Amino acid sequence: DSGVTQTPKHLITATGQRVTLRCSPRSGDLSVYWYQQSLDQGLQFLIQYYNGEERAKGNILERFSAQQFPDLHSELNLSSLELGDSALYFCASSVDTGRNSPLHFGNGTRLTVT
Amino acid sequence: GDSVTQMEGPVTLSEEAFLTINCTYTATGYPSLFWYVQYPGEGLQLLLKATKADDKGSNKGFEATYRKETTSFHLEKGSVQVSDSAVYFCALITISNFGNEKLTFGTGTRLTIIP
């Protein structure tokens, strides 16, 4: 058990809809990362927050947004969903943002867009 | 830009066979290198890491050596078990000119060990 909790585990929704994925980091971790894993693209970094502030941005679409709250949990919002957004979305956390700080991953939320 | 190239899978081996999963990278500066493992139905876990040239990371019988001259970080294990069946990701962290770190993953290699 990594200590990172993601909810829900599975989500099925229709095109054009909006969903929110939630992540609770490991106790004591200030940094939260969001990743998208799909068969054709592999693991893609979306965005990172550190102690409530956006720290780094990856290949995140404009239809997607995220935030980290004062209690350090994070939410990833996906809107105007398309079939191609179907993927496994991972949240990870780490103590800080240092290069020697390992990431601890949640079990992911599987999103299916129909 | 930074990139990680892993050998394509799937890789299927018999129990007790020797394992090598190749990983090479392209990066500016001096990245830290990692191997992550994803067991079925779970998230990624850090398997091992190396932060400078010639460092050897090791864990659970797996090893990888940071080779700056060949820009490689190949994963090896002398005798694999059925429980090693998983997807393995090579990754690196670099620091940009603005001080932001960037984590880049390879596409993953699926390993299946048969009894």
Side-chain angles (χ1 to χ4, degrees), chain B residues 6-76:
Chain B
Q6 286 181 238
M7 63 187 291
E8 287 193 18
V11 174
T12 303
L13 295 173
S14 297
E15 207 165 18
E16 298 184 5
F18 184 87
L19 168 72
T20 299
I21 301 179
N22 289 338
C23 171
T24 57
Y25 66 89
T26 303
T28 53
Y30 301 96
S32 292
L33 303 174
F34 304 81
W35 276 100
Y36 283 84
V37 59
Q38 183 180 16
Y39 297 105
E42 298 183 13
L44 277 73
Q45 302 173 26
L46 177 66
L47 181 59
L48 53 82
K49 68 176 183 181
T51 57
K52 61 183 188 297
D54 299 325
D55 267 2
K56 178 186 281 188
S58 60
N59 185 25
K60 298 182 181 179
F62 290 89
E63 292 183 341
T65 301
Y66 189 143
R67 300 283 187 205
K68 185 167 176 288
E69 63 277 11
T70 54
T71 61
S72 65
F73 193 55
H74 304 321
L75 182 68
E76 296 181 336

Side-chain angles (χ1 to χ4, degrees), chain A residues 35 37 43 48 55 88 90 97 99-100 102-103 105-107, chain B residues 30-32 34 36 38 43-44 46 49 51 95 101 103 105:
Chain A
Y35 289 88
Q37 184 178 356
L43 198 63
Q48 178 202 354
R55 179 67 187 232
L88 194 54
F90 281 108
T97 61
R99 53 194 276 153
N100 294 324
L103 271 65
F105 283 80
N107 286 344
Chain B
Y30 301 96
S32 292
F34 304 81
Y36 283 84
Q38 183 180 16
L44 277 73
L46 177 66
K49 68 176 183 181
T51 57
I95 307 293
E101 65 281 340
L103 177 60
F105 280 90

Side-chain angles (χ1 to χ4, degrees), chain B residues 39 60 62 77 79-86 88 111 113:
Chain B
Y39 297 105
K60 298 182 181 179
F62 290 89
K77 186 173 185 181
S79 176
V80 291
Q81 306 301 314
V82 172
S83 57
D84 294 326
S85 297
Y88 292 82
L111 173 67
I113 307 301

